Amino acid sequence: MTAFSIVLLAMIAAFLGMRLYSVLGKRTGHEQEPVLPRERSAASPVRLDENDGSQAPAPAPADTSGLVYEPAAEAGLRQLLASDRNFDAGRFMEGAEAAYRMILEAYWKGDRDTLRDLCDDDSYEAFADAIAARESRGETLDNRLMGIDSAKITAVELNRGEARVTVRYHADISAVTRDADGKLIAGSMSDASQTDDLWTFRRQIGSNDPNWVLDEAESA
């Protein structure tokens, strides 16, 4: 069992692998690539419970600040639950937050083995190329995930039996780049930057593989 599977099973939300185009390909303002997360709000995860009929309703109280999804994603979540009665939005988000942290930290450390477990071929190649370029310059990243301010489902799509769930992360990271001698060449550990990232995870409904894979990532 991969390290990724162990974590997601432990979180009860098996998860991931991906086509990260812009977490690697775009600069976000705090040095090279990814950003960071902060603890989520204290609001408890929302479960989309089963209900009679072909469509299962998603909770929609007047105050949506405590939900794990944005109102615009409600219709898609209902369709997903109707197709996959085992889907749980709260558990999914636990896995999504764990995945966000694992992927960023693996990239920062240059941990190719972990990335290989979490990424599809295209995503892994993008990460590996970026790591190789960084290594060729003799640079290292000393980034820190300070915490995830918020993480919510923003969109859900179903197409030909495949579900795609997009999550928006607002997070903080301290980012530092050092040269081959360990000298600071960019960033600051005392000043965290805020991020706004959109990551899309996908999974084939009905597949024996419980893992969601990260299909796309970009800075909003």
Side-chain angles (χ1 to χ4, degrees):
M1 180 177 292
T2 66
F4 171 67
S5 297
I6 292 174
V7 170
L8 292 187
L9 288 174
M11 302 287 295
I12 318 176
F15 222 85
L16 263 216
M18 74 190 177
R19 185 185 306 139
L20 271 183
Y21 116 85
S22 62
V23 168
L24 292 176
K26 277 188 183 177
R27 302 211 175 241
T28 57
H30 23 268
E31 220 268 280
Q32 18 228 341
E33 280 75 356
V35 257
L36 288 59
R38 189 188 277 152
E39 278 319 6
R40 294 184 58 202
S41 61
S44 59
V46 174
R47 175 179 175 80
L48 300 181
D49 294 320
E50 295 183 2
N51 197 4
D52 294 334
S54 61
Q55 289 210 330
D63 179 6
T64 61
S65 60
L67 299 182
V68 297
Y69 61 90
E70 295 182 356
E74 182 178 330
L77 283 170
R78 291 188 183 187
Q79 293 177 357
L80 175 54
L81 187 52
S83 299
D84 183 359
R85 308 293 283 187
N86 292 319
F87 179 80
D88 183 292
R91 291 176 179 176
F92 173 92
M93 287 306 302
E94 289 177 2
E97 291 193 31
Y100 186 71
R101 181 181 298 268
M102 288 174 64
I103 293 170
L104 292 183
E105 291 183 348
Y107 170 67
W108 295 335
K109 295 175 183 176
D111 183 350
R112 291 176 173 83
D113 290 340
T114 295
L115 290 172
R116 176 71 280 181
D117 290 337
L118 307 183
C119 301
D120 66 11
D121 291 342
D122 291 341
S123 301
Y124 174 74
E125 289 176 7
F127 273 125
D129 288 347
I131 291 172
R134 189 172 72 214
E135 291 175 342
S136 70
R137 298 189 299 269
E139 297 175 353
T140 58
L141 299 183
D142 188 13
N143 294 1
R144 295 289 185 274
L145 173 61
M146 308 307 293
I148 299 176
D149 293 319
S150 66
K152 289 191 176 185
I153 296 170
T154 62
V156 179
E157 299 177 12
L158 274 67
N159 184 30
R160 297 181 179 179
E162 182 179 77
R164 299 178 79 251
V165 180
T166 299
V167 178
R168 179 185 293 273
Y169 301 90
H170 288 142
D172 292 335
I173 64 171
S174 293
V176 163
T177 303
R178 300 184 186 278
D179 64 16
D181 297 323
K183 180 181 178 181
L184 177 68
I185 58 176
S188 169
M189 292 304 296
S190 62
D191 186 16
S193 298
Q194 292 187 333
T195 68
D196 184 358
D197 291 339
L198 290 171
W199 285 22
T200 299
F201 300 92
R202 62 176 173 82
R203 178 177 179 271
Q204 197 69 28
I205 297 174
S207 170
N208 291 328
D209 184 355
N211 293 333
W212 289 78
V213 300
L214 184 54
D215 179 61
E216 186 177 355
E218 61 181 313
S219 294

